[in-house]
Amino acid sequence: MTGFPRYAIYFAAGSHSALSRFGAELLGYDAYTGQEVPFPADALRIAPDWRDITADPRKYGFHGTLKAPMALAAGRTEAELMAACAGFAGKARPIPVIRPVVDAISGFIAVIPAEPVDALQQLAADCVRDFDCFRTELTAEDRARRKPERLSQRQRDYLDRWGYPYVLEEFRFHMTLTGRLDAERRGPVLEMLRKRFKGLKLDTLAIDRIALFRQDDAKARFRIIGECVLAG
């Protein structure tokens, strides 16, 4: 497996935002503080095994992927990556604004854009390209873990070129709230999450910052170690 620590460049909504609190409560973990958070009572009522349902996304914290987890290439340092994040954020670019909704995507439930936003696709593509110089090459074991035989040809090409298959045209922004659920379980969970999300009264969401996450070892959760607001 790729070495550690690993780093990722994600969107996180800000440490004091209602959306971040919403995500942290449902995942039971706040990536800003590194602390566990009690699950909401309605989640436990609808699914007593809520801790198991959210085990996979909890490891990463509540986020939207822009540059997938990577170990640093030889000669690269965390300080250099942090400086590159600041430089990236300082460049003038349109700030993507989405209309967030809670829906199922590939079997799990997430906050996603109600419709595609070109500026968001461009922001993600820029992150993939601009930070790739910090990424160490995939090992054969890492590539195999992605199960390339289940990917399309384009996804396999992207896996080999960028270290992750779901980039550029394959990118779909999402902020994951659960692991994969079968259809029978998904319905009640989705209804509960939509009701909670409606209470935020979040009609629009600006993707206005990037956060640098770090995972210290294979058993550790990702934690935010830096955040840069986009210049716009």
Side-chain angles (χ1 to χ4, degrees):
M1 180 180 286
T2 294
F4 290 90
R6 290 199 301 166
Y7 298 86
I9 296 162
Y10 292 155
F11 167 74
S15 59
H16 300 297
S17 72
L19 180 59
S20 286
R21 291 194 300 274
F22 169 84
E25 289 174 359
L26 288 164
L27 296 187
Y29 171 64
D30 186 338
Y32 279 98
T33 65
Q35 300 298 311
E36 296 218 353
V37 179
F39 296 125
D42 51 352
L44 293 171
R45 277 197 303 271
I46 203 76
D49 61 342
W50 189 257
R51 174 168 288 276
D52 296 331
I53 285 175
T54 55
D56 199 42
R58 184 179 310 113
K59 181 177 181 179
Y60 299 89
F62 187 55
H63 74 278
T65 299
L66 296 171
K67 180 67 173 176
M70 59 185 179
L72 293 184
R76 292 292 190 171
T77 68
E78 180 181 297
E80 289 174 336
L81 180 56
M82 189 78 77
C85 288
F88 180 93
K91 296 177 182 177
R93 58 168 47 85
I95 300 297
V97 178
I98 68 171
R99 183 165 64 89
V101 296
V102 172
D103 209 345
I105 173 173
S106 300
F108 56 89
I109 299 172
V111 177
I112 64 172
E115 52 273 320
V117 173
D118 289 344
L120 178 52
Q121 295 295 120
Q122 186 62 55
L123 174 64
D126 289 346
C127 282
V128 166
R129 295 188 179 105
D130 287 16
F131 293 105
D132 203 59
C133 59
F134 287 92
R135 178 180 63 85
T136 193
E137 292 296 319
L138 283 181
T139 65
E141 292 80 8
D142 283 330
R143 188 180 190 276
R145 283 194 309 109
R146 288 290 177 189
K147 299 186 179 351
E149 69 278 3
R150 299 183 183 179
L151 302 174
S152 69
Q153 183 59 55
R154 182 164 67 184
Q155 289 168 346
R156 285 194 295 272
D157 290 344
Y158 285 163
L159 175 63
D160 292 334
R161 172 61 186 88
W162 303 107
Y164 191 64
Y166 307 112
V167 299
L168 307 179
E169 297 94 337
E170 298 292 329
F171 172 73
R172 296 176 68 187
F173 181 84
H174 57 281
M175 303 182 76
T176 307
L177 294 168
T178 73
R180 283 187 170 82
L181 301 169
D182 60 41
E184 185 177 348
R185 293 209 72 187
R186 200 181 309 141
V189 172
L190 182 57
E191 181 180 359
M192 179 273 294
L193 291 174
R194 283 175 168 167
K195 182 177 180 181
R196 286 187 62 83
F197 188 73
K198 185 177 181 181
L200 300 184
K201 297 183 165 70
L202 190 63
D203 297 324
T204 61
L205 173 64
I207 311 302
D208 62 354
R209 65 194 65 213
I210 59 173
L212 182 60
F213 282 58
R214 183 178 67 203
Q215 182 192 29
D216 291 334
D217 57 60
K219 295 182 179 180
R221 294 173 184 165
F222 280 82
R223 184 170 177 181
I224 295 171
I225 60 170
E227 188 175 59
C228 301
V229 176
L230 301 178

